Amino acid sequence: MEERNLELDDDGKIKLRKRNEGDVAVDLPEEDDDGIVLDVPDLKGFEEEKEEDDERLVQGSDAWEAELRRRKAESEKVFGEGEALFAAGDYDGAGEKYLDSAALYGANWRPWFGVVRVQTKDFTDFAGIYDCENAYDRAFKRMPKAEREALAEKYVPSLTVRAEECGRAREKFTAEDVQQREGARESIERAYVGARKVLIIAVAVFAVFLAAGCILAPFVNTVPDVRFLVPCIVCFALAVASAAYLAVALRRFVSARKSLTRNRRAGTTAAGEQARIYAEEEELIRSIIEDFTK
């Protein structure tokens, strides 16, 4: 069930906008505020039609009140259909009915709360709660205090139990994460120290052969024979070979360094990932409890 973006009659309000002789034929821009905007004449600009305009304003207000009552009644009817579907276990069907009810009269908190109940399977599964943030905010913003207290009595005890379960699971997996990381740390540190030594040796060997080649190079053309040429070529060849070995040693050192850094950071094992998941769920549930009880 996908949440729809509903902006219809958010608080059931009506705004009257006055029009005068100068702009009566002009299409004014739509208002950004929630609610219905009715254009009414500015009586100062239509003095000769004052009585007729007063009557038209009254008729417009009566018409709106009638429409508002109709939409409220229809919204309640559709909401009841959603409740029946929810009780029967048809969450998708119930969600659509709740959204239809909210579209008819969005000032009522109950359809929005129904959407949240659908997405959370009546506050037992929170995997989809972030898909209904809009409905969640609207429901709790409009919810009367008495209704909030009644819902708190219904949901807070089970939510508290679930939060405590998540807290215990978080502590358990956190302890396992610490234990696993400490158990593997000795071998990881040994591998890091070995990789560092190999890297130092590789750097030294490369530097020695490269320096030797560079020292011999100026003497190659100073003598007619090859007494300096051959050693120079050999030194540069060995420098190239040691450079390849240096690259392997550097890659091994970087990998060992990453493993050591990861091992020292909490939550990097499979148990640590589970601890993070339970910690996030616990925090979410406690925030919901706070919304019910504030």
Tab-separated table of all heavy atoms in Angstrom, residues 225-284:
chain	number	residue	atom	x	y	z
A	225	ASP	N	85.110	0.941	-21.912
A	225	ASP	CA	84.572	-0.420	-21.769
A	225	ASP	C	83.227	-0.397	-21.047
A	225	ASP	O	82.647	0.658	-20.836
A	225	ASP	CB	85.579	-1.315	-21.036
A	225	ASP	CG	86.017	-0.694	-19.705
A	225	ASP	OD1	85.197	0.060	-19.104
A	225	ASP	OD2	87.147	-0.946	-19.262
A	226	VAL	N	82.744	-1.594	-20.641
A	226	VAL	CA	81.402	-1.709	-20.047
A	226	VAL	C	81.468	-2.011	-18.559
A	226	VAL	O	80.541	-2.600	-18.001
A	226	VAL	CB	80.593	-2.807	-20.772
A	226	VAL	CG1	80.316	-2.411	-22.203
A	226	VAL	CG2	81.332	-4.162	-20.701
A	227	ARG	N	82.551	-1.604	-17.926
A	227	ARG	CA	82.706	-1.932	-16.506
A	227	ARG	C	81.631	-1.258	-15.634
A	227	ARG	O	81.285	-1.780	-14.580
A	227	ARG	CB	84.090	-1.539	-16.023
A	227	ARG	CG	84.313	-0.050	-15.876
A	227	ARG	CD	85.711	0.277	-15.442
A	227	ARG	NE	86.664	-0.023	-16.509
A	227	ARG	CZ	87.978	0.240	-16.414
A	227	ARG	NH1	88.459	0.779	-15.290
A	227	ARG	NH2	88.792	-0.033	-17.403
A	228	PHE	N	81.121	-0.115	-16.073
A	228	PHE	CA	80.050	0.561	-15.321
A	228	PHE	C	78.664	0.328	-15.953
A	228	PHE	O	77.650	0.396	-15.264
A	228	PHE	CB	80.304	2.073	-15.241
A	228	PHE	CG	81.470	2.428	-14.372
A	228	PHE	CD1	82.646	2.906	-14.944
A	228	PHE	CD2	81.413	2.266	-12.994
A	228	PHE	CE1	83.735	3.234	-14.147
A	228	PHE	CE2	82.502	2.596	-12.200
A	228	PHE	CZ	83.673	3.074	-12.778
A	229	LEU	N	78.665	0.050	-17.262
A	229	LEU	CA	77.383	-0.110	-17.958
A	229	LEU	C	76.608	-1.322	-17.456
A	229	LEU	O	75.419	-1.243	-17.152
A	229	LEU	CB	77.613	-0.227	-19.463
A	229	LEU	CG	76.348	-0.475	-20.301
A	229	LEU	CD1	75.372	0.685	-20.151
A	229	LEU	CD2	76.726	-0.671	-21.777
A	230	VAL	N	77.291	-2.454	-17.371
A	230	VAL	CA	76.597	-3.685	-16.958
A	230	VAL	C	76.073	-3.577	-15.518
A	230	VAL	O	74.906	-3.877	-15.252
A	230	VAL	CB	77.532	-4.900	-17.116
A	230	VAL	CG1	76.872	-6.153	-16.516
A	230	VAL	CG2	77.855	-5.137	-18.574
A	231	PRO	N	76.881	-3.159	-14.567
A	231	PRO	CA	76.340	-3.011	-13.197
A	231	PRO	C	75.183	-2.005	-13.129
A	231	PRO	O	74.240	-2.200	-12.355
A	231	PRO	CB	77.534	-2.523	-12.388
A	231	PRO	CG	78.722	-2.983	-13.144
A	231	PRO	CD	78.335	-2.891	-14.586
A	232	CYS	N	75.312	-0.940	-13.922
A	232	CYS	CA	74.229	0.067	-13.916
A	232	CYS	C	72.931	-0.537	-14.414
A	232	CYS	O	71.864	-0.335	-13.826
A	232	CYS	CB	74.649	1.262	-14.780
A	232	CYS	SG	73.389	2.562	-14.844
A	233	ILE	N	73.016	-1.292	-15.514
A	233	ILE	CA	71.819	-1.929	-16.069
A	233	ILE	C	71.242	-2.922	-15.069
A	233	ILE	O	70.019	-3.004	-14.849
A	233	ILE	CB	72.145	-2.613	-17.402
A	233	ILE	CG1	72.503	-1.560	-18.458
A	233	ILE	CG2	70.972	-3.463	-17.871
A	233	ILE	CD1	72.972	-2.157	-19.771
A	234	VAL	N	72.105	-3.705	-14.438
A	234	VAL	CA	71.654	-4.694	-13.447
A	234	VAL	C	70.948	-4.008	-12.282
A	234	VAL	O	69.890	-4.460	-11.809
A	234	VAL	CB	72.842	-5.534	-12.953
A	234	VAL	CG1	72.416	-6.409	-11.779
A	234	VAL	CG2	73.396	-6.395	-14.074
A	235	CYS	N	71.521	-2.899	-11.810
A	235	CYS	CA	70.916	-2.187	-10.673
A	235	CYS	C	69.531	-1.648	-11.020
A	235	CYS	O	68.576	-1.756	-10.231
A	235	CYS	CB	71.833	-1.056	-10.224
A	235	CYS	SG	73.304	-1.623	-9.347
A	236	PHE	N	69.405	-1.064	-12.216
A	236	PHE	CA	68.093	-0.543	-12.612
A	236	PHE	C	67.077	-1.674	-12.827
A	236	PHE	O	65.893	-1.531	-12.507
A	236	PHE	CB	68.215	0.300	-13.882
A	236	PHE	CG	68.677	1.709	-13.618
A	236	PHE	CD1	69.841	2.202	-14.186
A	236	PHE	CD2	67.935	2.544	-12.793
A	236	PHE	CE1	70.260	3.494	-13.929
A	236	PHE	CE2	68.352	3.844	-12.534
A	236	PHE	CZ	69.529	4.325	-13.106
A	237	ALA	N	67.546	-2.808	-13.372
A	237	ALA	CA	66.648	-3.955	-13.555
A	237	ALA	C	66.158	-4.478	-12.208
A	237	ALA	O	64.962	-4.795	-12.027
A	237	ALA	CB	67.363	-5.059	-14.331
A	238	LEU	N	67.090	-4.573	-11.248
A	238	LEU	CA	66.693	-5.018	-9.918
A	238	LEU	C	65.788	-3.993	-9.234
A	238	LEU	O	64.899	-4.361	-8.452
A	238	LEU	CB	67.940	-5.275	-9.061
A	238	LEU	CG	68.801	-6.474	-9.491
A	238	LEU	CD1	70.080	-6.549	-8.672
A	238	LEU	CD2	68.007	-7.773	-9.353
A	239	ALA	N	66.011	-2.715	-9.515
A	239	ALA	CA	65.135	-1.674	-8.955
A	239	ALA	C	63.711	-1.827	-9.488
A	239	ALA	O	62.722	-1.673	-8.750
A	239	ALA	CB	65.684	-0.295	-9.282
A	240	VAL	N	63.595	-2.150	-10.785
A	240	VAL	CA	62.262	-2.358	-11.368
A	240	VAL	C	61.597	-3.574	-10.733
A	240	VAL	O	60.400	-3.555	-10.382
A	240	VAL	CB	62.375	-2.527	-12.893
A	240	VAL	CG1	61.021	-2.954	-13.484
A	240	VAL	CG2	62.838	-1.229	-13.539
A	241	ALA	N	62.352	-4.654	-10.591
A	241	ALA	CA	61.796	-5.868	-9.976
A	241	ALA	C	61.390	-5.607	-8.530
A	241	ALA	O	60.322	-6.053	-8.071
A	241	ALA	CB	62.814	-7.000	-10.050
A	242	SER	N	62.234	-4.878	-7.805
A	242	SER	CA	61.895	-4.583	-6.408
A	242	SER	C	60.714	-3.631	-6.311
A	242	SER	O	59.978	-3.652	-5.311
A	242	SER	CB	63.117	-4.013	-5.687
A	242	SER	OG	63.523	-2.793	-6.290
A	243	ALA	N	60.505	-2.793	-7.330
A	243	ALA	CA	59.337	-1.901	-7.339
A	243	ALA	C	58.052	-2.718	-7.430
A	243	ALA	O	57.049	-2.398	-6.772
A	243	ALA	CB	59.435	-0.917	-8.500
A	244	ALA	N	58.078	-3.786	-8.245
A	244	ALA	CA	56.909	-4.658	-8.334
A	244	ALA	C	56.647	-5.337	-6.994
A	244	ALA	O	55.491	-5.438	-6.541
A	244	ALA	CB	57.122	-5.701	-9.423
A	245	TYR	N	57.731	-5.797	-6.368
A	245	TYR	CA	57.573	-6.417	-5.054
A	245	TYR	C	57.087	-5.390	-4.037
A	245	TYR	O	56.284	-5.708	-3.141
A	245	TYR	CB	58.907	-7.017	-4.621
A	245	TYR	CG	58.862	-7.669	-3.258
A	245	TYR	CD1	58.181	-8.868	-3.061
A	245	TYR	CD2	59.504	-7.081	-2.160
A	245	TYR	CE1	58.131	-9.468	-1.807
A	245	TYR	CE2	59.454	-7.678	-0.904
A	245	TYR	CZ	58.772	-8.868	-0.739
A	245	TYR	OH	58.726	-9.467	0.498
A	246	LEU	N	57.560	-4.142	-4.161
A	246	LEU	CA	57.128	-3.072	-3.265
A	246	LEU	C	55.629	-2.816	-3.399
A	246	LEU	O	54.932	-2.591	-2.397
A	246	LEU	CB	57.902	-1.795	-3.566
A	246	LEU	CG	57.471	-0.533	-2.805
A	246	LEU	CD1	57.621	-0.731	-1.296
A	246	LEU	CD2	58.294	0.672	-3.265
A	247	ALA	N	55.125	-2.871	-4.631
A	247	ALA	CA	53.690	-2.660	-4.843
A	247	ALA	C	52.877	-3.750	-4.161
A	247	ALA	O	51.832	-3.476	-3.533
A	247	ALA	CB	53.386	-2.631	-6.339
A	248	VAL	N	53.337	-4.999	-4.248
A	248	VAL	CA	52.640	-6.103	-3.583
A	248	VAL	C	52.685	-5.926	-2.075
A	248	VAL	O	51.680	-6.117	-1.366
A	248	VAL	CB	53.265	-7.444	-3.993
A	248	VAL	CG1	52.648	-8.592	-3.201
A	248	VAL	CG2	53.094	-7.685	-5.493
A	249	ALA	N	53.862	-5.548	-1.566
A	249	ALA	CA	54.007	-5.357	-0.118
A	249	ALA	C	53.142	-4.205	0.380
A	249	ALA	O	52.553	-4.269	1.471
A	249	ALA	CB	55.474	-5.092	0.214
A	250	LEU	N	53.053	-3.140	-0.428
A	250	LEU	CA	52.231	-1.991	-0.036
A	250	LEU	C	50.747	-2.371	0.016
A	250	LEU	O	50.027	-1.993	0.947
A	250	LEU	CB	52.442	-0.841	-1.022
A	250	LEU	CG	51.641	0.433	-0.747
A	250	LEU	CD1	52.003	1.016	0.606
A	250	LEU	CD2	51.885	1.452	-1.860
A	251	ARG	N	50.302	-3.128	-0.983
A	251	ARG	CA	48.906	-3.572	-0.999
A	251	ARG	C	48.606	-4.459	0.200
A	251	ARG	O	47.545	-4.343	0.831
A	251	ARG	CB	48.606	-4.293	-2.306
A	251	ARG	CG	47.144	-4.677	-2.466
A	251	ARG	CD	46.806	-5.031	-3.902
A	251	ARG	NE	47.635	-6.117	-4.401
A	251	ARG	CZ	48.564	-5.979	-5.361
A	251	ARG	NH1	48.781	-4.790	-5.901
A	251	ARG	NH2	49.269	-7.017	-5.767
A	252	ARG	N	49.549	-5.330	0.535
A	252	ARG	CA	49.366	-6.203	1.697
A	252	ARG	C	49.324	-5.371	2.978
A	252	ARG	O	48.514	-5.634	3.870
A	252	ARG	CB	50.505	-7.219	1.745
A	252	ARG	CG	50.454	-8.140	2.954
A	252	ARG	CD	51.680	-9.047	2.971
A	252	ARG	NE	51.757	-9.825	4.211
A	252	ARG	CZ	52.798	-10.587	4.550
A	252	ARG	NH1	53.846	-10.663	3.733
A	252	ARG	NH2	52.786	-11.250	5.690
A	253	PHE	N	50.162	-4.366	3.067
A	253	PHE	CA	50.191	-3.520	4.260
A	253	PHE	C	48.883	-2.726	4.401
A	253	PHE	O	48.336	-2.628	5.507
A	253	PHE	CB	51.372	-2.552	4.177
A	253	PHE	CG	51.365	-1.508	5.257
A	253	PHE	CD1	51.788	-1.819	6.541
A	253	PHE	CD2	50.921	-0.218	4.996
A	253	PHE	CE1	51.778	-0.874	7.541
A	253	PHE	CE2	50.905	0.738	5.993
A	253	PHE	CZ	51.333	0.418	7.267
A	254	VAL	N	48.402	-2.173	3.298
A	254	VAL	CA	47.149	-1.406	3.344
A	254	VAL	C	45.990	-2.293	3.781
A	254	VAL	O	45.148	-1.897	4.599
A	254	VAL	CB	46.859	-0.767	1.974
A	254	VAL	CG1	45.455	-0.163	1.943
A	254	VAL	CG2	47.898	0.297	1.658
A	255	SER	N	45.942	-3.510	3.260
A	255	SER	CA	44.881	-4.443	3.633
A	255	SER	C	44.964	-4.796	5.117
A	255	SER	O	43.939	-4.834	5.825
A	255	SER	CB	44.981	-5.708	2.784
A	255	SER	OG	44.010	-6.657	3.180
A	256	ALA	N	46.191	-5.038	5.611
A	256	ALA	CA	46.371	-5.370	7.027
A	256	ALA	C	45.996	-4.178	7.910
A	256	ALA	O	45.403	-4.348	8.980
A	256	ALA	CB	47.818	-5.797	7.281
A	257	ARG	N	46.322	-2.983	7.447
A	257	ARG	CA	45.990	-1.779	8.213
A	257	ARG	C	44.479	-1.589	8.287
A	257	ARG	O	43.932	-1.245	9.345
A	257	ARG	CB	46.635	-0.563	7.550
A	257	ARG	CG	46.322	0.764	8.233
A	257	ARG	CD	46.901	0.804	9.623
A	257	ARG	NE	46.546	2.033	10.303
A	257	ARG	CZ	46.837	2.307	11.569
A	257	ARG	NH1	47.492	1.403	12.293
A	257	ARG	NH2	46.492	3.436	12.125
A	258	LYS	N	43.784	-1.813	7.195
A	258	LYS	CA	42.319	-1.703	7.193
A	258	LYS	C	41.692	-2.728	8.123
A	258	LYS	O	40.733	-2.425	8.846
A	258	LYS	CB	41.788	-1.882	5.773
A	258	LYS	CG	42.038	-0.701	4.860
A	258	LYS	CD	41.433	-0.945	3.495
A	258	LYS	CE	41.631	0.251	2.569
A	258	LYS	NZ	41.050	0.009	1.224
A	259	SER	N	42.238	-3.951	8.101
A	259	SER	CA	41.699	-4.998	8.973
A	259	SER	C	41.877	-4.635	10.437
A	259	SER	O	40.977	-4.838	11.264
A	259	SER	CB	42.386	-6.334	8.678
A	259	SER	OG	42.116	-6.759	7.354
A	260	LEU	N	43.025	-4.063	10.767
A	260	LEU	CA	43.283	-3.675	12.150
A	260	LEU	C	42.363	-2.523	12.572
A	260	LEU	O	41.801	-2.541	13.675
A	260	LEU	CB	44.742	-3.268	12.316
A	260	LEU	CG	45.171	-2.858	13.730
A	260	LEU	CD1	44.965	-4.008	14.710
A	260	LEU	CD2	46.628	-2.396	13.737
A	261	THR	N	42.209	-1.541	11.693
A	261	THR	CA	41.314	-0.413	12.006
A	261	THR	C	39.884	-0.886	12.185
A	261	THR	O	39.177	-0.449	13.097
A	261	THR	CB	41.385	0.637	10.876
A	261	THR	OG1	42.729	1.081	10.736
A	261	THR	CG2	40.484	1.819	11.185
A	262	ARG	N	39.453	-1.791	11.313
A	262	ARG	CA	38.102	-2.330	11.407
A	262	ARG	C	37.922	-3.125	12.691
A	262	ARG	O	36.881	-3.030	13.353
A	262	ARG	CB	37.814	-3.218	10.193
A	262	ARG	CG	36.432	-3.846	10.176
A	262	ARG	CD	36.254	-4.704	8.930
A	262	ARG	NE	34.973	-5.388	8.940
A	262	ARG	CZ	33.841	-4.853	8.533
A	262	ARG	NH1	33.828	-3.617	8.088
A	262	ARG	NH2	32.707	-5.547	8.575
A	263	ASN	N	38.935	-3.892	13.061
A	263	ASN	CA	38.853	-4.696	14.270
A	263	ASN	C	38.755	-3.828	15.521
A	263	ASN	O	38.090	-4.198	16.494
A	263	ASN	CB	40.068	-5.612	14.368
A	263	ASN	CG	40.084	-6.436	15.626
A	263	ASN	OD1	40.696	-6.062	16.621
A	263	ASN	ND2	39.394	-7.582	15.602
A	264	ARG	N	39.373	-2.668	15.506
A	264	ARG	CA	39.348	-1.781	16.665
A	264	ARG	C	38.066	-0.958	16.746
A	264	ARG	O	37.813	-0.339	17.783
A	264	ARG	CB	40.556	-0.843	16.606
A	264	ARG	CG	41.889	-1.545	16.864
A	264	ARG	CD	43.055	-0.596	16.648
A	264	ARG	NE	44.341	-1.234	16.998
A	264	ARG	CZ	45.524	-0.665	16.787
A	264	ARG	NH1	45.596	0.551	16.236
A	264	ARG	NH2	46.628	-1.302	17.126
A	265	ARG	N	37.283	-0.956	15.676
A	265	ARG	CA	36.052	-0.162	15.660
A	265	ARG	C	34.866	-1.033	16.048
A	265	ARG	O	34.667	-2.125	15.513
A	265	ARG	CB	35.838	0.440	14.265
A	265	ARG	CG	34.708	1.458	14.217
A	265	ARG	CD	34.665	2.190	12.873
A	265	ARG	NE	34.363	1.286	11.778
A	265	ARG	CZ	35.202	0.978	10.815
A	265	ARG	NH1	36.444	1.466	10.817
A	265	ARG	NH2	34.850	0.159	9.833
A	266	ALA	N	34.077	-0.565	16.993
A	266	ALA	CA	32.923	-1.334	17.476
A	266	ALA	C	31.875	-1.497	16.388
A	266	ALA	O	31.678	-0.624	15.541
A	266	ALA	CB	32.307	-0.635	18.680
A	267	GLY	N	31.215	-2.650	16.419
A	267	GLY	CA	30.100	-2.896	15.508
A	267	GLY	C	30.490	-3.359	14.131
A	267	GLY	O	29.674	-3.302	13.208
A	268	THR	N	31.708	-3.831	13.938
A	268	THR	CA	32.167	-4.215	12.604
A	268	THR	C	32.022	-5.708	12.321
A	268	THR	O	32.301	-6.147	11.209
A	268	THR	CB	33.634	-3.810	12.422
A	268	THR	OG1	34.421	-4.320	13.503
A	268	THR	CG2	33.770	-2.293	12.387
A	269	THR	N	31.578	-6.474	13.296
A	269	THR	CA	31.333	-7.893	13.059
A	269	THR	C	29.853	-8.108	12.724
A	269	THR	O	29.051	-7.174	12.771
A	269	THR	CB	31.706	-8.717	14.299
A	269	THR	OG1	30.826	-8.352	15.376
A	269	THR	CG2	33.135	-8.448	14.722
A	270	ALA	N	29.505	-9.343	12.404
A	270	ALA	CA	28.098	-9.663	12.138
A	270	ALA	C	27.254	-9.407	13.383
A	270	ALA	O	26.126	-8.903	13.299
A	270	ALA	CB	27.976	-11.121	11.690
A	271	ALA	N	27.813	-9.742	14.549
A	271	ALA	CA	27.110	-9.477	15.805
A	271	ALA	C	26.951	-7.981	16.023
A	271	ALA	O	25.914	-7.506	16.509
A	271	ALA	CB	27.862	-10.104	16.973
A	272	GLY	N	27.961	-7.213	15.654
A	272	GLY	CA	27.878	-5.763	15.786
A	272	GLY	C	26.806	-5.166	14.893
A	272	GLY	O	26.122	-4.213	15.291
A	273	GLU	N	26.651	-5.716	13.709
A	273	GLU	CA	25.593	-5.245	12.813
A	273	GLU	C	24.217	-5.531	13.397
A	273	GLU	O	23.311	-4.690	13.319
A	273	GLU	CB	25.748	-5.925	11.449
A	273	GLU	CG	24.673	-5.576	10.440
A	273	GLU	CD	24.673	-4.118	10.035
A	273	GLU	OE1	25.678	-3.426	10.288
A	273	GLU	OE2	23.659	-3.666	9.464
A	274	GLN	N	24.049	-6.703	13.994
A	274	GLN	CA	22.784	-7.016	14.653
A	274	GLN	C	22.535	-6.076	15.830
A	274	GLN	O	21.403	-5.630	16.062
A	274	GLN	CB	22.800	-8.463	15.142
A	274	GLN	CG	22.682	-9.496	14.033
A	274	GLN	CD	21.360	-9.397	13.304
A	274	GLN	OE1	20.301	-9.258	13.911
A	274	GLN	NE2	21.414	-9.464	11.978
A	275	ALA	N	23.579	-5.752	16.568
A	275	ALA	CA	23.436	-4.814	17.685
A	275	ALA	C	22.977	-3.449	17.183
A	275	ALA	O	22.132	-2.792	17.808
A	275	ALA	CB	24.763	-4.683	18.426
A	276	ARG	N	23.502	-3.017	16.047
A	276	ARG	CA	23.094	-1.728	15.475
A	276	ARG	C	21.620	-1.743	15.078
A	276	ARG	O	20.879	-0.783	15.328
A	276	ARG	CB	23.951	-1.409	14.250
A	276	ARG	CG	23.628	-0.062	13.607
A	276	ARG	CD	24.333	0.077	12.270
A	276	ARG	NE	23.865	-0.906	11.304
A	276	ARG	CZ	22.723	-0.809	10.629
A	276	ARG	NH1	21.918	0.241	10.816
A	276	ARG	NH2	22.386	-1.740	9.764
A	277	ILE	N	21.170	-2.835	14.473
A	277	ILE	CA	19.777	-2.942	14.053
A	277	ILE	C	18.840	-2.879	15.256
A	277	ILE	O	17.832	-2.152	15.246
A	277	ILE	CB	19.561	-4.251	13.259
A	277	ILE	CG1	20.324	-4.194	11.935
A	277	ILE	CG2	18.081	-4.508	13.026
A	277	ILE	CD1	20.319	-5.496	11.167
A	278	TYR	N	19.179	-3.614	16.293
A	278	TYR	CA	18.339	-3.595	17.497
A	278	TYR	C	18.380	-2.233	18.190
A	278	TYR	O	17.379	-1.783	18.756
A	278	TYR	CB	18.771	-4.694	18.462
A	278	TYR	CG	18.235	-6.059	18.103
A	278	TYR	CD1	19.070	-7.071	17.644
A	278	TYR	CD2	16.869	-6.332	18.205
A	278	TYR	CE1	18.578	-8.326	17.310
A	278	TYR	CE2	16.359	-7.587	17.878
A	278	TYR	CZ	17.220	-8.574	17.425
A	278	TYR	OH	16.715	-9.811	17.088
A	279	ALA	N	19.528	-1.575	18.157
A	279	ALA	CA	19.631	-0.248	18.772
A	279	ALA	C	18.744	0.758	18.044
A	279	ALA	O	18.067	1.589	18.672
A	279	ALA	CB	21.086	0.219	18.754
A	280	GLU	N	18.727	0.701	16.712
A	280	GLU	CA	17.885	1.607	15.940
A	280	GLU	C	16.403	1.344	16.197
A	280	GLU	O	15.611	2.279	16.317
A	280	GLU	CB	18.209	1.469	14.453
A	280	GLU	CG	19.578	2.008	14.074
A	280	GLU	CD	19.868	1.834	12.601
A	280	GLU	OE1	19.054	1.179	11.899
A	280	GLU	OE2	20.911	2.341	12.135
A	281	GLU	N	16.035	0.060	16.277
A	281	GLU	CA	14.636	-0.256	16.539
A	281	GLU	C	14.226	0.190	17.939
A	281	GLU	O	13.120	0.716	18.139
A	281	GLU	CB	14.395	-1.760	16.376
A	281	GLU	CG	12.926	-2.143	16.542
A	281	GLU	CD	12.655	-3.605	16.245
A	281	GLU	OE1	13.570	-4.290	15.730
A	281	GLU	OE2	11.519	-4.058	16.503
A	282	GLU	N	15.102	-0.009	18.906
A	282	GLU	CA	14.802	0.426	20.266
A	282	GLU	C	14.599	1.941	20.322
A	282	GLU	O	13.645	2.439	20.945
A	282	GLU	CB	15.937	0.030	21.207
A	282	GLU	CG	15.706	0.461	22.661
A	282	GLU	CD	16.899	0.201	23.549
A	282	GLU	OE1	17.975	-0.174	23.019
A	282	GLU	OE2	16.774	0.374	24.781
A	283	GLU	N	15.470	2.680	19.647
A	283	GLU	CA	15.346	4.139	19.635
A	283	GLU	C	14.045	4.573	18.973
A	283	GLU	O	13.361	5.483	19.454
A	283	GLU	CB	16.542	4.740	18.901
A	283	GLU	CG	16.528	6.260	18.862
A	283	GLU	CD	17.723	6.827	18.125
A	283	GLU	OE1	18.548	6.031	17.612
A	283	GLU	OE2	17.836	8.068	18.030
A	284	LEU	N	13.674	3.910	17.871
A	284	LEU	CA	12.436	4.235	17.180
A	284	LEU	C	11.224	3.974	18.064
A	284	LEU	O	10.316	4.819	18.169
A	284	LEU	CB	12.340	3.404	15.893
A	284	LEU	CG	11.016	3.472	15.128
A	284	LEU	CD1	10.760	4.887	14.625
A	284	LEU	CD2	11.005	2.476	13.980
